[in-house]
Amino acid sequence: MQKFLEVSFLYDFYQTLLTQKQRDLVAGYYFEDLSLSELASTYNISRQSVFDTIKKAELKLVDYESKLQLWDKFKKQDSILAQLQAATANSSNEEVVAIRDLIIKLRSEV
């Protein structure tokens, strides 16, 4: 489960840096719940080739994150926004309500 979440988040951030074949196979395997055999049949390649391509893509995603750290920065920013949202949750002051609304909007955009 942990690996699925990690690949999902990394895929969201870095999918455009993968080849089209890597994107298709990773999406099929992780998001469409297709087996290696089903993907091999669909793309007319061997099961081993599907496995190797997915593993190579996973390694690339981890490598991109180690260099760019976009997911890590996102998690930190989201945590700060959650703390700000909680800190302003019980206030009825107009300015604080406006700030809270901006925090909510920002969290939905990030």
Side-chain angles (χ1 to χ4, degrees):
M1 181 65 164
Q2 179 66 24
K3 182 179 180 181
F4 174 79
L5 289 174
E6 181 179 358
V7 170
S8 296
F9 279 110
L10 294 179
Y11 184 83
D12 284 344
F13 281 100
Y14 304 114
Q15 66 180 302
T16 57
L17 300 174
L18 299 175
T19 66
Q20 185 63 49
K21 184 177 182 180
Q22 288 172 330
R23 285 194 300 266
D24 292 344
L25 293 176
V26 168
Y29 185 73
Y30 282 100
F31 306 120
E32 297 171 31
D33 201 30
L34 298 174
S35 69
L36 297 177
S37 298
E38 290 170 320
L39 289 166
S41 176
T42 301
Y43 291 96
N44 200 27
I45 56 178
S46 71
R47 187 180 174 285
Q48 185 63 46
S49 180
V50 171
F51 178 81
D52 291 344
T53 302
I54 290 171
K55 289 300 165 196
K56 185 175 179 181
E58 290 170 355
L59 290 173
K60 278 182 149 183
L61 292 172
V62 170
D63 185 51
Y64 293 142
E65 176 59 19
S66 72
K67 292 176 182 173
L68 302 172
Q69 298 181 353
L70 297 178
W71 183 32
D72 188 51
K73 290 174 186 173
F74 168 80
K75 290 188 295 185
K76 289 175 183 174
Q77 290 172 354
D78 191 58
S79 174
I80 292 168
L81 288 171
Q83 292 171 27
L84 285 169
Q85 190 173 0
T88 60
N90 296 322
S91 178
S92 59
N93 178 310
E94 283 185 35
E95 292 174 344
V96 175
V97 170
I99 291 169
R100 185 174 57 238
D101 291 343
L102 289 172
I103 293 167
I104 292 167
K105 183 177 180 180
L106 184 58
R107 285 189 86 191
S108 70
E109 294 291 324
V110 178

